[in-house]
Amino acid sequence: MSARDRLTDGLYGAGWTTVKKLPEPAAVRLGRTVADVAWKRRGAGVRRLESNYARVVADAGPERLAALSRAGMRSYLRYWMESFRLPAWSTERIKDGFAPEDLHHLTDGMDAGKGVVLALPHLANWDLAGAWVTTKLGIPFTTVAERLKPETLYDRFVAYREGLGMEVLPHSGGSAFGTLARRLRDGGLVCLVADRDLSASGVEVDFFGETARMPAGPALLAQQTGARLLPVTLWYDDSPVMRGRVHPPVEVPESGTRAEKTSVMTQALADAFATGIADHPEDWHMLQRLWLKDLDPAKAPGARERGDR
């Protein structure tokens, strides 16, 4: 392991070890302080975040974009402070930490016994939403995690999410799709973060007026298993409680090839994501290139950048 990898792993380890012991008000203050320092330094991640917000809020001038990126960094660090502390939260704190709207789309789908796929963008804290599902609703689920470097960091994330009640599969390796399909055919729940393609097989979608690429997996799983496909969007307000909405099901088109159906369904997901992101742009933690115009053609579509989670 390189010195840089050891440093990265050590910093995350220190976060999970130290931050979770802080009183909540102290963790909130720390997160805001770190966010403001990072925002003032205007590193690559902050500049990319601001560039992405420029597409979401097309009429925003420089002052508005600067305010949005500062709020976005504060939201991003709230995600990290919560994530470092989630393993130490009580059952009641987790149950009280999330208040979703239109939950019946999920519960009705689970009651139907054909499985449910929840697809989310990088909004607010999907780990907290997942912990709420396993704790409040008592529904276990399966998800997929990108293989991070160093490998020890990936292992930390897997252990963290498994500790919250999730089954975690590696994104690479080719066997994840089959396992997800089996879970759905058994009537289970699958949750996928699905606003950025990590492979070379993503679907091109119109996203805020320009072309982006999003993963085909959620739509393909719904087609092959008969599971209900539900977009979910999340956001923060001024309270300690995260908010969210379960959107209506994305239906499988009655006609067309598999590729055509996948394209239509993935566009429907992108449209639902765009609705939530437009309403709460500061809670969209996209510190990477997303739109095709921004991607370096010399890099693979799944090329990983700093700042991913």
Side-chain angles (χ1 to χ4, degrees):
M1 185 188 300
S2 69
R4 180 176 177 178
D5 285 348
R6 286 196 298 271
L7 175 61
T8 299
D9 182 62
L11 288 173
Y12 280 98
W16 268 299
T17 301
T18 304
V19 174
K20 71 179 180 181
K21 297 178 182 178
L22 293 175
E24 191 156 345
V28 170
R29 289 194 299 271
L30 175 61
R32 180 160 292 200
T33 298
V34 173
D36 288 349
V37 169
W39 177 77
K40 289 177 181 177
R41 289 180 176 175
R42 291 192 60 78
V46 173
R47 296 195 304 273
R48 175 52 50 192
L49 184 67
E50 202 164 289
S51 175
N52 290 338
Y53 287 159
R55 284 187 168 92
V56 174
V57 188
D59 59 349
E63 290 186 4
R64 170 67 171 143
L65 288 175
L68 267 177
S69 64
R70 184 178 189 182
M73 289 304 296
R74 288 182 171 185
S75 176
Y76 186 48
L77 264 294
R78 176 173 173 176
Y79 160 81
W80 280 112
M81 292 299 108
E82 286 179 347
S83 295
F84 287 143
R85 290 173 50 76
L86 263 175
W89 279 14
S90 68
T91 297
E92 290 306 311
R93 178 68 181 89
I94 293 174
K95 289 181 178 180
D96 294 340
F98 180 42
E101 302 171 3
D102 298 328
L103 187 63
H104 65 91
H105 292 305
L106 169 58
T107 55
D108 290 350
M110 295 303 296
D111 289 344
K114 294 185 178 181
V116 172
V117 179
L118 296 181
L120 307 88
H122 285 80
L123 274 169
N125 190 343
W126 87 274
D127 286 325
L128 172 55
W132 186 88
V133 167
T134 61
T135 304
K136 177 78 171 182
L137 302 183
I139 301 175
F141 68 86
T142 304
T143 188
V144 174
E146 178 187 2
R147 277 202 176 276
L148 303 173
K149 292 183 179 180
E151 190 74 14
T152 52
L153 180 57
Y154 170 77
D155 292 341
R156 286 186 188 275
F157 270 94
V158 170
Y160 156 65
R161 286 171 174 152
E162 288 180 341
L164 299 176
M166 311 174 192
E167 179 188 20
V168 182
L169 307 176
H171 181 271
S172 59
S175 63
F177 188 91
T179 302
L180 295 174
R182 287 194 294 274
R183 299 293 183 269
L184 292 169
R185 292 191 181 102
D186 290 339
L189 176 64
V190 165
C191 300
L192 301 171
V193 179
D195 58 343
R196 188 166 72 95
D197 180 45
L198 294 174
S199 71
S201 58
V203 177
E204 291 189 3
V205 296
D206 179 86
F207 197 53
F208 291 101
E210 292 190 35
T211 303
R213 188 181 290 116
M214 293 187 181
L220 288 172
L221 285 167
Q223 290 178 61
Q224 293 194 18
T225 67
R228 180 176 295 197
L229 175 56
L230 299 174
V232 177
T233 53
L234 310 171
W235 66 92
Y236 292 127
D237 58 18
D238 293 330
S239 77
V241 179
M242 185 176 69
R243 310 293 172 175
R245 179 188 175 200
V246 183
H247 295 251
V250 172
E251 303 292 345
V252 178
E254 294 183 359
S255 61
T257 64
R258 184 174 70 170
E260 290 169 342
K261 292 178 180 180
T262 301
S263 178
V264 170
M265 295 172 73
T266 306
Q267 182 63 60
L269 283 180
D271 292 343
F273 294 165
T275 298
I277 292 166
D279 287 343
H280 305 277
E282 68 278 4
D283 292 323
W284 189 42
H285 307 151
M286 185 55 65
L287 281 72
Q288 300 81 27
R289 300 175 189 271
L290 179 72
W291 283 272
L292 298 192
K293 285 184 179 179
D294 293 336
L295 292 171
D296 183 346
K299 297 179 181 179
R304 186 174 172 272
E305 299 180 46
R306 291 183 63 187
D308 195 16
R309 76 174 194 244

